[in-house]
Amino acid sequence: MRFVKKSMTIAMLMLIVGLMVFAGGSTEQTSAESGEKLPAISILINESPWLDAFRKIVDVYEKETGNQVEIVGSPYSALLTRITNTLTAPESEFDIVILDEVWSNQFFDGELVAALTDIDPDFAFDEGVLEYDWATRWDHELGTNAESGKIYAVPINGNMQIMYYRADLLDEAGFDPPQTWDDVFEIAKYFYDPPNMYGMVGRATGRPDFGYQAIIHSLGGYLLDYDSTQGTWDIGINKPEAHEALDIYLRLVKQYSPDDYANIGQAQMISLMQSGRVPMIYTVTAAAPNFDDPATSTVVGKVRATVVPGPRPGENAPTTGIQPFAIPNNLPDARKQAALAFLKWVIQPDVQVQFGKFGGIVTRQDAWETLSEDPKFWWAEAVAKSTPYAHGQIRVTVGGRIFSALETLLRSVVAGDTTPDETLRKAEVEIRSIMESAGYKVK
Amino acid sequence: MRHRNLHRWIDDNFKFIALAPIILVLVILVLMPVGRLFSTSFSEVKFVSGGLLFNPIGFENYRNAFKDAVAARALLNTTLLAIISVSVEVVIAVVLALSVGYIKRGNTFFRTIFIFPMLLPPIAIGVMWLMIYDFNYGVLNSVLAFLGMKGPAWLASNSLAFPSIIVVDIWHWTSFVFLIVLAGVETLPHELSESGRIDGATEFQIVRKIQLPILRPIIMTAIVTRTIFAFKVYEQIYLLTDGGPGNRTEVISSYIMRVYFNENRMGYASALSVLTLIFIAVLVFAFNQLQKRVFVEKGGE
């Protein structure tokens, strides 16, 4: 019995010592790694349809430079958690992380990612690079994205909304591609023949505000606007343009849609277009290849794209939904330099064209213009024409909270739980509360 | 001399040494994370260079939680879902388990069939029911169309979305309750039922007066366990309705996920998690107390 007790005591002590060594060991390993200068870099990126194109362009980089790049894919739903973990660790696991326009600002503001000009003081974008309403920069004094801010990121996925339409059907019926919201309703009414064909579907769930923003901005309205003379923010969600925009949005989402309009998100919109049951939708650029995939689409070669409509021709405001690459601040300088070398390479004009040909959503105006000469990329011209009108999403650190509040309210008004007036009044109150709690001055 | 002292020390403290592994596991796996959840719930968490900044804000997150209409709706939806689903599941599972218990040959086949839904991952179940409920391409509406009827928007209708979710939950989890109850049915003493039959009791009376009272502790365990699981429902909601239409199918897990990940409010999400934890604990405690009271009142029977 005594032997058993003694053995158990020794085993316990060994277990405790082992756990302590294990806990300490990982720290030691990290610090050992930090001393090494590794030419290889690791990139955390979301698994999306354009990931394959990115792999191909990375292969080109590796062949051209001899540098090694490891790509770590993550489902989009887990991306923010992994990024938060890596950016708050003693040393980042990844050399480059992909962010999202909606939540990148909190990392810029907290300086969890490095300002690229801090790594290389000469770093600057040439004029061909699209910065999407300065989504790449952060002005710490203003607390928003602005040209005056430091550059924190390089855009890699230039997603923005374009209007997809069935060229064959519109031609046959004698319609031009829709340029105004009135055109949209006219075409939708003409084709509405449920259950075989619906006129139009809109994004009613899964960030419904993404669809709404294109309308409110096209009408000259805004969700939030920064007044640099006063240093204050103005909330525009309860102004006349916002009310008019909500009216258009609700008609788009409900009037010529299937009965399950309240449950339609981006995936359902694309699916209805692919199955030939709607003549048009407006959604992200990345959706374009879906319509040409014979395995999933019944409308191969029949879809074309144009700029998202507005109240009048030329008054457009497609919403951006871009993803930029950033370099974690918790990296030794050698790793930051290696990461920046890749970012400088991937944003070059010829590389971007090649990336686009592989299926990437490029982030240079000249690359879109070059791609638009190839009929295979029928959507490129629409994007090239849209970029001058591109309108960024909310650019404050609490953007995620505001979008979440808007989602709840927009879903309620779509479901008929609240009136449009009540929805926008509540939205104003909520946005004000969120902004003020984050320390922003609101008019 | 030194050896003797060591042996004596081991003898005196052996109970603590023997308990050390489980205490270690308890501290590392349970107390530390839960402690962290509690401490985070009293903070506002910000990203700063070099890590996370926990700014203590007292009970602010809890005050906000009590004013949050969406959280209240989500908790109400979750509670309703738990009550309705678990009640229906228990009734179906008890009937199925007793039926399978009566089958002399081939009950392995039925047992396998009935536990099948539990073996499927929740995501697969969500996708499967999405294909059943889909307004345009779903199996259900195709069948209705074949019969000359127009199918409704099961997941987008204000009145049908929540019941549709409950149906999926019942389909998924009845097998779990069935499995637990079946384990009890298989240990039922046959002699009691036999003596009941000799005394002229009908099969219904045997079930009601003999088998169900014996099964009650097992059914209770199934109800409590299932209720706890029901409060964790997430994947099916995420895939089928994403909380809509409006917030009619928003449940507390999906709302906490939204607050944590989309809004990045770690402190507030932690406070909601703590409140949910307390709510479930109170519910389970109340249920146990109620059962005990019923048991004492009926003790003479």
Side-chain angles (χ1 to χ4, degrees), chain B residues 94-255:
Chain B
V94 168
V95 170
L96 286 177
L98 287 170
S99 306
V100 169
Y102 270 92
I103 297 170
K104 295 283 179 279
R105 290 178 64 185
N107 75 0
T108 313
F109 170 76
F110 288 107
R111 191 187 317 194
T112 312
I113 290 287
F114 291 143
I115 66 166
F116 179 70
M118 198 179 76
L119 305 177
L120 288 172
I123 293 289
I125 290 172
V127 171
M128 188 181 84
W129 280 92
L130 202 57
M131 289 192 282
I132 292 172
Y133 280 141
D134 189 276
F135 176 72
N136 288 296
Y137 320 107
V139 176
L140 211 48
N141 281 1
S142 299
V143 171
L144 290 174
F146 181 74
L147 298 171
M149 289 182 274
K150 190 191 175 202
W154 298 99
L155 300 172
S157 150
N158 288 351
S159 56
L160 288 173
F162 193 63
S164 301
I165 292 287
I166 288 176
V167 168
V168 178
D169 199 67
I170 291 169
W171 184 88
H172 183 188
W173 286 107
T174 299
S175 52
F176 173 78
V177 185
F178 164 77
L179 203 62
I180 295 177
V181 178
L182 185 66
V185 168
E186 286 177 343
T187 58
L188 282 173
H190 291 290
E191 55 273 23
L192 285 177
S193 303
E194 281 307 314
S195 60
R197 284 189 191 99
I198 290 165
D199 290 342
T202 63
E203 286 304 314
F204 180 72
Q205 284 171 326
I206 289 169
V207 168
R208 206 169 79 86
K209 298 283 185 186
I210 298 173
Q211 295 180 333
L212 282 181
I214 296 173
L215 287 173
R216 188 156 62 189
I218 283 185
I219 294 172
M220 274 300 303
T221 307
I223 290 173
V224 171
T225 317
R226 240 324 267 143
T227 305
I228 294 168
F229 284 177
F231 271 84
K232 295 178 181 176
V233 63
Y234 171 70
E235 294 93 338
Q236 290 150 16
I237 300 284
Y238 174 72
L239 270 172
L240 293 174
T241 60
D242 197 22
N247 50 23
R248 278 180 179 75
T249 61
E250 188 84 80
V251 288
I252 198 68
S253 300
S254 60
Y255 186 57

Side-chain angles (χ1 to χ4, degrees), chain A residues 81 259 275 404 411 417, chain B residues 136-137 150 242 248 261 263:
Chain A
T81 308
D259 289 359
S275 59
S404 182
R411 286 196 334 195
D417 293 341
Chain B
N136 288 296
Y137 320 107
K150 190 191 175 202
D242 197 22
R248 278 180 179 75
F261 292 104
E263 301 182 16

Side-chain angles (χ1 to χ4, degrees), chain A residues 2 5 12 19 80-81 84 106 110-112 198 259-260 263 272 275 277 400-401 404 408 411 415 417, chain B residues 7 11 14 21 24 47-49 135-137 150 155-156 158 240 242 246 248 258 261-265:
Chain A
R2 179 158 286 175
K5 287 182 176 178
M12 272 314 302
L19 280 171
L80 183 55
T81 308
T84 307
Q106 60 197 329
E111 297 201 293
L112 273 81
Y198 303 103
D259 289 359
D260 65 340
N263 207 22
L272 284 163
S275 59
R277 294 178 102 147
R401 280 184 69 183
S404 182
T408 302
R411 286 196 334 195
D417 293 341
Chain B
H7 288 311
D11 279 343
F14 186 70
L24 206 65
F47 295 119
V48 290
S49 184
F135 176 72
N136 288 296
Y137 320 107
K150 190 191 175 202
L155 300 172
N158 288 351
L240 293 174
D242 197 22
R248 278 180 179 75
R258 185 141 66 94
F261 292 104
N262 296 5
E263 301 182 16
N264 241 315
R265 297 162 77 193

